[in-house]
Amino acid sequence: MRDSFDIKKWIENPDELLLIAGPCSVESKEQFFDVATKLSELQEVKILRGGIWKPRTRPNGFEGIGEEGLKWMREISDETNLPIMTEVATPEHAELALKYGVDALWIGARTTANPFSMQQLADTLKGVDIPVFVKNPIAPDLKLWIGAFERLASSGLTHLVAIHRGFQDTNAAPYRNNPRWEIPIELHRKNPNIPIITDISHICGCREILKSTAQKALDLVTNGLMIESHCNPSCALSDARQQLTPSELKDLLYYQISVRDNDSDAKDWKDNIDQLRAKIDIIDESLLYTLASRMKVSRQIGEYKKSHNVA
């Protein structure tokens, strides 16, 4: 059995890259034990994640296994010594997660976007010493993201982490959610004591660009990665296209990305020349997508004029 990982200690001094992995959804005991056992063999994986309640955009889809899944998470955690975390969106979710000894919680983008929901969760967790990871709101609203941390801090929660998962944008291509890297960078500037984890799975929405996105996150402003993993992604009940098998995750970590040495230069992102160059790359990328969008509209105008015999 591996040594226990202290999440609170890491938050207080996030020098080591934190890797959180696990399936998008806990679907069955067999499915979860299979992927969790394989992930436990990767020493780089420090926390096991799993969705118990799944807020779907439309009804009648898979909305999570519910409380039974928490029992399975607790059992596999006891077997592997891997800390576990899950998403909570309501006070009832939080109370059940605490009941089963979940080691850390995360709050999803839809919940972060709702100050009423955030206040309810903050009130429920008042006086509870548990790490809480907060995803950015769906819209690129930095004040709303910071406000979520302020509500939790007002309830006495001190071990807080940001999760950057990208922002909903009609021009997000090739991403599922536009990373808008400048926003987590600005969050870091305003709140340097809050570590930032990058959820590359939800930013990408597909496996094909996970590698490049992970590297960009590591080069810019992240203390860790959250990556979804499933032993048979094609059969996953949610977010099948963005999940990696444990062996694919191992290849990504060992052979496809480069983790920067945590020296004094790398710690200060403002003075890091590679990060400044990466910021220019982001601006250039944005300009190219804008030009491509303009060309697409111009082409549509040309096709319309041709079909209607307009000079």
Side-chain angles (χ1 to χ4, degrees), residues 163-215:
I163 300 180
H164 171 222
R165 49 85 73 194
F167 303 88
Q168 199 169 73
D169 187 342
T170 55
N171 296 315
Y175 304 104
R176 174 183 176 183
N177 292 296
N178 192 333
R180 293 290 300 271
W181 299 103
E182 70 276 11
I183 293 178
I185 288 174
E186 183 64 9
L187 175 69
H188 178 74
R189 189 185 71 81
K190 289 179 175 292
N191 299 272
N193 294 325
I194 297 179
I196 299 176
I197 302 298
T198 303
D199 179 351
I200 61 171
S201 298
H202 277 89
I203 287 177
C204 295
C206 63
R207 286 178 284 276
E208 290 75 13
I209 56 175
L210 284 173
K211 172 188 173 182
S212 59
T213 306
Q215 191 61 61

Short mmCIF file of all heavy atoms in Angstrom, two decimals, residues 163-215:
data_model
loop_
_atom_site.label_atom_id
_atom_site.label_comp_id
_atom_site.label_asym_id
_atom_site.label_seq_id
_atom_site.Cartn_x
_atom_site.Cartn_y
_atom_site.Cartn_z
N ILE A 163 -9.85 25.30 -9.58
CA ILE A 163 -9.77 24.38 -10.73
C ILE A 163 -10.16 25.16 -11.97
O ILE A 163 -11.29 25.63 -12.10
CB ILE A 163 -10.70 23.16 -10.58
CG1 ILE A 163 -10.35 22.35 -9.33
CG2 ILE A 163 -10.59 22.27 -11.83
CD1 ILE A 163 -11.25 21.13 -9.14
N HIS A 164 -9.21 25.28 -12.89
CA HIS A 164 -9.46 25.94 -14.17
C HIS A 164 -9.96 24.88 -15.16
O HIS A 164 -9.22 23.95 -15.49
CB HIS A 164 -8.16 26.59 -14.66
CG HIS A 164 -8.23 27.13 -16.04
ND1 HIS A 164 -7.21 26.99 -16.95
CD2 HIS A 164 -9.20 27.82 -16.68
CE1 HIS A 164 -7.53 27.56 -18.09
NE2 HIS A 164 -8.74 28.06 -17.95
N ARG A 165 -11.21 25.03 -15.61
CA ARG A 165 -11.78 24.04 -16.53
C ARG A 165 -12.28 24.67 -17.83
O ARG A 165 -13.01 24.05 -18.61
CB ARG A 165 -12.90 23.24 -15.85
CG ARG A 165 -13.95 24.07 -15.12
CD ARG A 165 -15.06 24.59 -15.98
NE ARG A 165 -15.96 23.53 -16.35
CZ ARG A 165 -16.86 23.65 -17.31
NH1 ARG A 165 -16.94 24.77 -18.01
NH2 ARG A 165 -17.68 22.67 -17.61
N GLY A 166 -11.90 25.93 -18.06
CA GLY A 166 -12.31 26.60 -19.29
C GLY A 166 -13.69 27.21 -19.18
O GLY A 166 -14.43 27.00 -18.22
N PHE A 167 -14.04 28.00 -20.23
CA PHE A 167 -15.26 28.80 -20.21
C PHE A 167 -16.11 28.52 -21.44
O PHE A 167 -15.59 28.32 -22.54
CB PHE A 167 -14.91 30.28 -20.13
CG PHE A 167 -14.04 30.63 -18.95
CD1 PHE A 167 -12.65 30.56 -19.04
CD2 PHE A 167 -14.61 30.98 -17.74
CE1 PHE A 167 -11.84 30.86 -17.95
CE2 PHE A 167 -13.81 31.29 -16.64
CZ PHE A 167 -12.43 31.23 -16.75
N GLN A 168 -17.41 28.54 -21.25
CA GLN A 168 -18.34 28.30 -22.35
C GLN A 168 -18.23 29.45 -23.36
O GLN A 168 -18.32 30.62 -22.99
CB GLN A 168 -19.76 28.18 -21.82
CG GLN A 168 -20.73 27.51 -22.75
CD GLN A 168 -22.05 27.19 -22.06
OE1 GLN A 168 -22.83 28.08 -21.79
NE2 GLN A 168 -22.27 25.92 -21.77
N ASP A 169 -18.04 29.09 -24.62
CA ASP A 169 -17.80 30.10 -25.65
C ASP A 169 -18.19 29.50 -26.99
O ASP A 169 -17.77 28.39 -27.33
CB ASP A 169 -16.32 30.49 -25.63
CG ASP A 169 -15.99 31.65 -26.55
OD1 ASP A 169 -16.80 31.95 -27.44
OD2 ASP A 169 -14.92 32.26 -26.38
N THR A 170 -18.97 30.24 -27.77
CA THR A 170 -19.38 29.74 -29.09
C THR A 170 -18.19 29.63 -30.04
O THR A 170 -18.24 28.92 -31.03
CB THR A 170 -20.44 30.65 -29.71
OG1 THR A 170 -19.93 32.01 -29.74
CG2 THR A 170 -21.73 30.62 -28.89
N ASN A 171 -17.09 30.33 -29.72
CA ASN A 171 -15.88 30.27 -30.56
C ASN A 171 -14.76 29.54 -29.83
O ASN A 171 -13.60 29.97 -29.88
CB ASN A 171 -15.45 31.69 -30.94
CG ASN A 171 -16.47 32.41 -31.79
OD1 ASN A 171 -17.00 31.83 -32.73
ND2 ASN A 171 -16.76 33.66 -31.47
N ALA A 172 -15.08 28.46 -29.16
CA ALA A 172 -14.09 27.76 -28.34
C ALA A 172 -13.19 26.82 -29.14
O ALA A 172 -12.18 26.37 -28.63
CB ALA A 172 -14.79 26.95 -27.24
N ALA A 173 -13.56 26.50 -30.38
CA ALA A 173 -12.80 25.51 -31.16
C ALA A 173 -11.31 25.82 -31.15
O ALA A 173 -10.91 26.98 -31.22
CB ALA A 173 -13.31 25.50 -32.61
N PRO A 174 -10.45 24.78 -31.02
CA PRO A 174 -10.75 23.34 -31.04
C PRO A 174 -11.13 22.78 -29.68
O PRO A 174 -11.27 21.57 -29.52
CB PRO A 174 -9.43 22.73 -31.50
CG PRO A 174 -8.40 23.62 -30.86
CD PRO A 174 -9.00 25.02 -30.93
N TYR A 175 -11.31 23.65 -28.68
CA TYR A 175 -11.60 23.19 -27.33
C TYR A 175 -13.10 23.01 -27.11
O TYR A 175 -13.93 23.60 -27.81
CB TYR A 175 -11.07 24.19 -26.31
CG TYR A 175 -9.62 24.51 -26.42
CD1 TYR A 175 -9.19 25.71 -26.99
CD2 TYR A 175 -8.65 23.62 -25.97
CE1 TYR A 175 -7.83 26.02 -27.09
CE2 TYR A 175 -7.31 23.91 -26.06
CZ TYR A 175 -6.91 25.11 -26.64
OH TYR A 175 -5.57 25.40 -26.73
N ARG A 176 -13.43 22.21 -26.12
CA ARG A 176 -14.82 22.13 -25.67
C ARG A 176 -15.17 23.39 -24.89
O ARG A 176 -16.25 23.96 -25.04
CB ARG A 176 -15.00 20.89 -24.78
CG ARG A 176 -16.39 20.79 -24.14
CD ARG A 176 -16.47 19.57 -23.23
NE ARG A 176 -17.73 19.50 -22.53
CZ ARG A 176 -18.04 18.56 -21.63
NH1 ARG A 176 -17.15 17.62 -21.35
NH2 ARG A 176 -19.19 18.56 -21.02
N ASN A 177 -14.24 23.82 -24.03
CA ASN A 177 -14.41 25.05 -23.27
C ASN A 177 -13.16 25.91 -23.46
O ASN A 177 -12.04 25.43 -23.27
CB ASN A 177 -14.61 24.74 -21.78
CG ASN A 177 -15.94 24.06 -21.51
OD1 ASN A 177 -17.01 24.64 -21.71
ND2 ASN A 177 -15.88 22.82 -21.05
N ASN A 178 -13.36 27.15 -23.85
CA ASN A 178 -12.25 28.05 -24.13
C ASN A 178 -11.40 28.24 -22.88
O ASN A 178 -11.91 28.67 -21.84
CB ASN A 178 -12.81 29.41 -24.58
CG ASN A 178 -11.75 30.30 -25.17
OD1 ASN A 178 -10.57 30.18 -24.85
ND2 ASN A 178 -12.15 31.20 -26.06
N PRO A 179 -10.10 27.94 -22.93
CA PRO A 179 -9.28 28.03 -21.72
C PRO A 179 -9.09 29.45 -21.20
O PRO A 179 -8.92 29.64 -19.99
CB PRO A 179 -7.94 27.42 -22.13
CG PRO A 179 -7.95 27.40 -23.61
CD PRO A 179 -9.36 27.32 -24.05
N ARG A 180 -9.11 30.45 -22.08
CA ARG A 180 -8.95 31.84 -21.64
C ARG A 180 -7.88 31.92 -20.55
O ARG A 180 -8.13 32.35 -19.42
CB ARG A 180 -10.28 32.40 -21.14
CG ARG A 180 -11.37 32.57 -22.18
CD ARG A 180 -11.07 33.68 -23.15
NE ARG A 180 -10.95 34.96 -22.45
CZ ARG A 180 -11.98 35.78 -22.22
NH1 ARG A 180 -13.21 35.44 -22.60
NH2 ARG A 180 -11.79 36.93 -21.61
N TRP A 181 -6.67 31.50 -20.89
CA TRP A 181 -5.58 31.35 -19.91
C TRP A 181 -5.32 32.63 -19.11
O TRP A 181 -4.84 32.58 -17.98
CB TRP A 181 -4.30 30.93 -20.62
CG TRP A 181 -4.40 29.62 -21.34
CD1 TRP A 181 -4.54 29.43 -22.68
CD2 TRP A 181 -4.37 28.31 -20.75
NE1 TRP A 181 -4.60 28.08 -22.96
CE2 TRP A 181 -4.49 27.37 -21.80
CE3 TRP A 181 -4.24 27.84 -19.44
CZ2 TRP A 181 -4.50 26.00 -21.59
CZ3 TRP A 181 -4.24 26.47 -19.23
CH2 TRP A 181 -4.36 25.56 -20.29
N GLU A 182 -5.65 33.78 -19.70
CA GLU A 182 -5.37 35.03 -18.99
C GLU A 182 -6.18 35.16 -17.71
O GLU A 182 -5.77 35.87 -16.77
CB GLU A 182 -5.66 36.23 -19.91
CG GLU A 182 -7.11 36.49 -20.24
CD GLU A 182 -7.66 35.67 -21.41
OE1 GLU A 182 -6.96 34.74 -21.84
OE2 GLU A 182 -8.77 35.97 -21.86
N ILE A 183 -7.32 34.45 -17.62
CA ILE A 183 -8.16 34.56 -16.42
C ILE A 183 -7.54 33.83 -15.23
O ILE A 183 -7.43 34.41 -14.14
CB ILE A 183 -9.59 34.10 -16.73
CG1 ILE A 183 -10.23 35.08 -17.72
CG2 ILE A 183 -10.43 34.00 -15.44
CD1 ILE A 183 -11.64 34.73 -18.15
N PRO A 184 -7.13 32.56 -15.35
CA PRO A 184 -6.44 31.95 -14.21
C PRO A 184 -5.12 32.64 -13.86
O PRO A 184 -4.73 32.68 -12.70
CB PRO A 184 -6.21 30.50 -14.64
CG PRO A 184 -6.34 30.49 -16.12
CD PRO A 184 -7.35 31.57 -16.44
N ILE A 185 -4.44 33.21 -14.86
CA ILE A 185 -3.22 33.96 -14.57
C ILE A 185 -3.55 35.17 -13.71
O ILE A 185 -2.85 35.49 -12.75
CB ILE A 185 -2.52 34.38 -15.88
CG1 ILE A 185 -1.88 33.15 -16.54
CG2 ILE A 185 -1.46 35.45 -15.63
CD1 ILE A 185 -1.28 33.42 -17.90
N GLU A 186 -4.65 35.85 -14.04
CA GLU A 186 -5.05 37.01 -13.25
C GLU A 186 -5.53 36.59 -11.86
O GLU A 186 -5.27 37.29 -10.87
CB GLU A 186 -6.17 37.77 -13.98
CG GLU A 186 -6.63 39.05 -13.30
CD GLU A 186 -5.56 40.13 -13.21
OE1 GLU A 186 -4.48 39.98 -13.83
OE2 GLU A 186 -5.80 41.14 -12.52
N LEU A 187 -6.20 35.44 -11.77
CA LEU A 187 -6.59 34.92 -10.45
C LEU A 187 -5.35 34.70 -9.59
O LEU A 187 -5.33 35.04 -8.41
CB LEU A 187 -7.36 33.61 -10.60
CG LEU A 187 -7.72 32.90 -9.28
CD1 LEU A 187 -8.76 33.71 -8.50
CD2 LEU A 187 -8.23 31.48 -9.53
N HIS A 188 -4.30 34.13 -10.20
CA HIS A 188 -3.06 33.89 -9.47
C HIS A 188 -2.41 35.20 -9.02
O HIS A 188 -1.88 35.30 -7.92
CB HIS A 188 -2.09 33.10 -10.35
CG HIS A 188 -0.76 32.86 -9.71
ND1 HIS A 188 -0.58 31.94 -8.70
CD2 HIS A 188 0.46 33.43 -9.92
CE1 HIS A 188 0.69 31.95 -8.31
NE2 HIS A 188 1.33 32.84 -9.04
N ARG A 189 -2.49 36.21 -9.89
CA ARG A 189 -1.90 37.51 -9.53
C ARG A 189 -2.63 38.13 -8.33
O ARG A 189 -2.00 38.69 -7.43
CB ARG A 189 -1.97 38.47 -10.72
CG ARG A 189 -1.20 39.77 -10.51
CD ARG A 189 -1.40 40.72 -11.67
NE ARG A 189 -2.75 41.26 -11.67
CZ ARG A 189 -3.14 42.29 -10.90
NH1 ARG A 189 -2.30 42.86 -10.06
NH2 ARG A 189 -4.39 42.74 -10.98
N LYS A 190 -3.96 38.02 -8.32
CA LYS A 190 -4.74 38.62 -7.25
C LYS A 190 -4.75 37.77 -5.98
O LYS A 190 -4.88 38.30 -4.87
CB LYS A 190 -6.19 38.83 -7.73
CG LYS A 190 -6.37 39.92 -8.77
CD LYS A 190 -7.82 40.04 -9.20
CE LYS A 190 -8.05 41.20 -10.16
NZ LYS A 190 -7.87 42.51 -9.49
N ASN A 191 -4.64 36.44 -6.13
CA ASN A 191 -4.70 35.53 -4.99
C ASN A 191 -3.58 34.50 -5.09
O ASN A 191 -3.84 33.32 -5.36
CB ASN A 191 -6.06 34.82 -4.94
CG ASN A 191 -7.22 35.77 -4.78
OD1 ASN A 191 -7.61 36.13 -3.68
ND2 ASN A 191 -7.79 36.20 -5.91
N PRO A 192 -2.35 34.91 -4.89
CA PRO A 192 -1.21 34.00 -5.10
C PRO A 192 -1.17 32.82 -4.13
O PRO A 192 -0.45 31.85 -4.39
CB PRO A 192 0.01 34.92 -4.89
CG PRO A 192 -0.50 36.04 -4.05
CD PRO A 192 -1.92 36.26 -4.48
N ASN A 193 -1.94 32.88 -3.04
CA ASN A 193 -1.92 31.78 -2.08
C ASN A 193 -2.92 30.68 -2.41
O ASN A 193 -2.99 29.68 -1.69
CB ASN A 193 -2.20 32.32 -0.67
CG ASN A 193 -1.10 33.24 -0.17
OD1 ASN A 193 0.08 33.00 -0.46
ND2 ASN A 193 -1.46 34.27 0.56
N ILE A 194 -3.69 30.85 -3.47
CA ILE A 194 -4.64 29.81 -3.89
C ILE A 194 -4.01 29.00 -5.02
O ILE A 194 -3.81 29.52 -6.12
CB ILE A 194 -5.98 30.41 -4.36
CG1 ILE A 194 -6.66 31.14 -3.21
CG2 ILE A 194 -6.89 29.33 -4.92
CD1 ILE A 194 -7.99 31.80 -3.60
N PRO A 195 -3.66 27.73 -4.79
CA PRO A 195 -3.12 26.90 -5.88
C PRO A 195 -4.15 26.73 -6.99
O PRO A 195 -5.36 26.81 -6.75
CB PRO A 195 -2.83 25.56 -5.19
CG PRO A 195 -2.80 25.87 -3.72
CD PRO A 195 -3.75 27.00 -3.52
N ILE A 196 -3.67 26.49 -8.20
CA ILE A 196 -4.55 26.32 -9.36
C ILE A 196 -4.29 24.97 -10.01
O ILE A 196 -3.16 24.63 -10.36
CB ILE A 196 -4.35 27.43 -10.39
CG1 ILE A 196 -4.66 28.80 -9.78
CG2 ILE A 196 -5.22 27.20 -11.63
CD1 ILE A 196 -4.40 29.98 -10.71
N ILE A 197 -5.35 24.19 -10.14
CA ILE A 197 -5.33 22.91 -10.85
C ILE A 197 -6.01 23.11 -12.20
O ILE A 197 -7.03 23.79 -12.28
CB ILE A 197 -6.10 21.83 -10.06
CG1 ILE A 197 -5.52 21.65 -8.67
CG2 ILE A 197 -6.09 20.49 -10.81
CD1 ILE A 197 -4.10 21.18 -8.65
N THR A 198 -5.47 22.53 -13.26
CA THR A 198 -6.09 22.65 -14.57
C THR A 198 -6.79 21.35 -14.95
O THR A 198 -6.15 20.30 -15.02
CB THR A 198 -5.06 23.01 -15.65
OG1 THR A 198 -4.39 24.23 -15.27
CG2 THR A 198 -5.74 23.24 -16.99
N ASP A 199 -8.09 21.43 -15.18
CA ASP A 199 -8.88 20.29 -15.61
C ASP A 199 -8.83 20.23 -17.13
O ASP A 199 -9.68 20.81 -17.83
CB ASP A 199 -10.33 20.46 -15.11
CG ASP A 199 -11.23 19.32 -15.52
OD1 ASP A 199 -10.82 18.47 -16.35
OD2 ASP A 199 -12.39 19.27 -15.05
N ILE A 200 -7.81 19.55 -17.65
CA ILE A 200 -7.62 19.54 -19.11
C ILE A 200 -8.71 18.73 -19.81
O ILE A 200 -9.01 18.97 -20.98
CB ILE A 200 -6.23 19.02 -19.49
CG1 ILE A 200 -6.01 17.59 -19.00
CG2 ILE A 200 -5.14 19.94 -18.96
CD1 ILE A 200 -4.73 16.95 -19.54
N SER A 201 -9.32 17.78 -19.13
CA SER A 201 -10.36 16.96 -19.75
C SER A 201 -11.55 17.81 -20.17
O SER A 201 -12.06 17.69 -21.29
CB SER A 201 -10.82 15.86 -18.79
OG SER A 201 -9.75 15.00 -18.47
N HIS A 202 -11.99 18.72 -19.29
CA HIS A 202 -13.15 19.54 -19.61
C HIS A 202 -12.80 20.70 -20.53
O HIS A 202 -13.65 21.19 -21.26
CB HIS A 202 -13.83 20.03 -18.33
CG HIS A 202 -14.75 19.02 -17.74
ND1 HIS A 202 -14.33 18.08 -16.84
CD2 HIS A 202 -16.07 18.79 -17.94
CE1 HIS A 202 -15.36 17.30 -16.51
NE2 HIS A 202 -16.42 17.71 -17.15
N ILE A 203 -11.56 21.15 -20.48
CA ILE A 203 -11.15 22.16 -21.45
C ILE A 203 -11.16 21.57 -22.85
O ILE A 203 -11.68 22.18 -23.80
CB ILE A 203 -9.75 22.71 -21.11
CG1 ILE A 203 -9.83 23.62 -19.88
CG2 ILE A 203 -9.16 23.48 -22.29
CD1 ILE A 203 -8.48 24.16 -19.41
N CYS A 204 -10.61 20.37 -23.00
CA CYS A 204 -10.45 19.76 -24.33
C CYS A 204 -11.74 19.15 -24.88
O CYS A 204 -12.13 19.40 -26.01
CB CYS A 204 -9.36 18.70 -24.29
SG CYS A 204 -7.72 19.36 -23.93
N GLY A 205 -12.38 18.31 -24.07
CA GLY A 205 -13.57 17.62 -24.56
C GLY A 205 -13.27 16.46 -25.47
O GLY A 205 -14.19 15.76 -25.93
N CYS A 206 -12.00 16.22 -25.76
CA CYS A 206 -11.61 15.08 -26.60
C CYS A 206 -10.17 14.72 -26.25
O CYS A 206 -9.41 15.54 -25.75
CB CYS A 206 -11.74 15.40 -28.09
SG CYS A 206 -10.68 16.74 -28.64
N ARG A 207 -9.80 13.49 -26.56
CA ARG A 207 -8.47 13.00 -26.20
C ARG A 207 -7.36 13.60 -27.07
O ARG A 207 -6.22 13.71 -26.63
CB ARG A 207 -8.44 11.47 -26.31
CG ARG A 207 -9.18 10.75 -25.21
CD ARG A 207 -9.15 9.25 -25.39
NE ARG A 207 -10.07 8.82 -26.43
CZ ARG A 207 -11.37 8.60 -26.22
NH1 ARG A 207 -11.89 8.81 -25.02
NH2 ARG A 207 -12.15 8.19 -27.19
N GLU A 208 -7.71 13.98 -28.31
CA GLU A 208 -6.69 14.32 -29.29
C GLU A 208 -5.84 15.53 -28.88
O GLU A 208 -4.67 15.63 -29.30
CB GLU A 208 -7.33 14.58 -30.66
CG GLU A 208 -7.89 13.34 -31.34
CD GLU A 208 -9.21 12.86 -30.73
OE1 GLU A 208 -9.81 13.62 -29.94
OE2 GLU A 208 -9.62 11.73 -31.03
N ILE A 209 -6.36 16.45 -28.12
CA ILE A 209 -5.60 17.66 -27.80
C ILE A 209 -5.23 17.73 -26.32
O ILE A 209 -4.80 18.78 -25.83
CB ILE A 209 -6.35 18.93 -28.23
CG1 ILE A 209 -7.75 18.99 -27.59
CG2 ILE A 209 -6.44 19.02 -29.73
CD1 ILE A 209 -8.49 20.29 -27.88
N LEU A 210 -5.37 16.63 -25.60
CA LEU A 210 -5.02 16.62 -24.18
C LEU A 210 -3.53 16.90 -23.97
O LEU A 210 -3.15 17.64 -23.06
CB LEU A 210 -5.39 15.28 -23.55
CG LEU A 210 -6.87 15.03 -23.25
CD1 LEU A 210 -7.08 13.59 -22.79
CD2 LEU A 210 -7.38 16.00 -22.18
N LYS A 211 -2.69 16.31 -24.81
CA LYS A 211 -1.25 16.46 -24.64
C LYS A 211 -0.83 17.93 -24.73
O LYS A 211 -0.15 18.46 -23.84
CB LYS A 211 -0.50 15.63 -25.70
CG LYS A 211 1.00 15.88 -25.72
CD LYS A 211 1.65 15.18 -26.91
CE LYS A 211 3.11 15.59 -27.04
NZ LYS A 211 3.76 14.96 -28.23
N SER A 212 -1.21 18.60 -25.82
CA SER A 212 -0.80 19.98 -26.01
C SER A 212 -1.39 20.90 -24.95
O SER A 212 -0.73 21.85 -24.49
CB SER A 212 -1.20 20.47 -27.41
OG SER A 212 -2.61 20.38 -27.59
N THR A 213 -2.60 20.61 -24.53
CA THR A 213 -3.25 21.44 -23.51
C THR A 213 -2.59 21.24 -22.15
O THR A 213 -2.40 22.20 -21.39
CB THR A 213 -4.75 21.12 -23.43
OG1 THR A 213 -5.33 21.24 -24.73
CG2 THR A 213 -5.47 22.06 -22.47
N ALA A 214 -2.25 20.00 -21.83
CA ALA A 214 -1.56 19.73 -20.57
C ALA A 214 -0.22 20.46 -20.53
O ALA A 214 0.14 21.06 -19.51
CB ALA A 214 -1.34 18.23 -20.39
N GLN A 215 0.52 20.43 -21.64
CA GLN A 215 1.82 21.10 -21.66
C GLN A 215 1.67 22.61 -21.52
O GLN A 215 2.44 23.26 -20.81
CB GLN A 215 2.55 20.76 -22.96
CG GLN A 215 4.01 21.21 -22.95
CD GLN A 215 4.80 20.53 -21.84
OE1 GLN A 215 4.93 19.31 -21.80
NE2 GLN A 215 5.32 21.32 -20.91
#
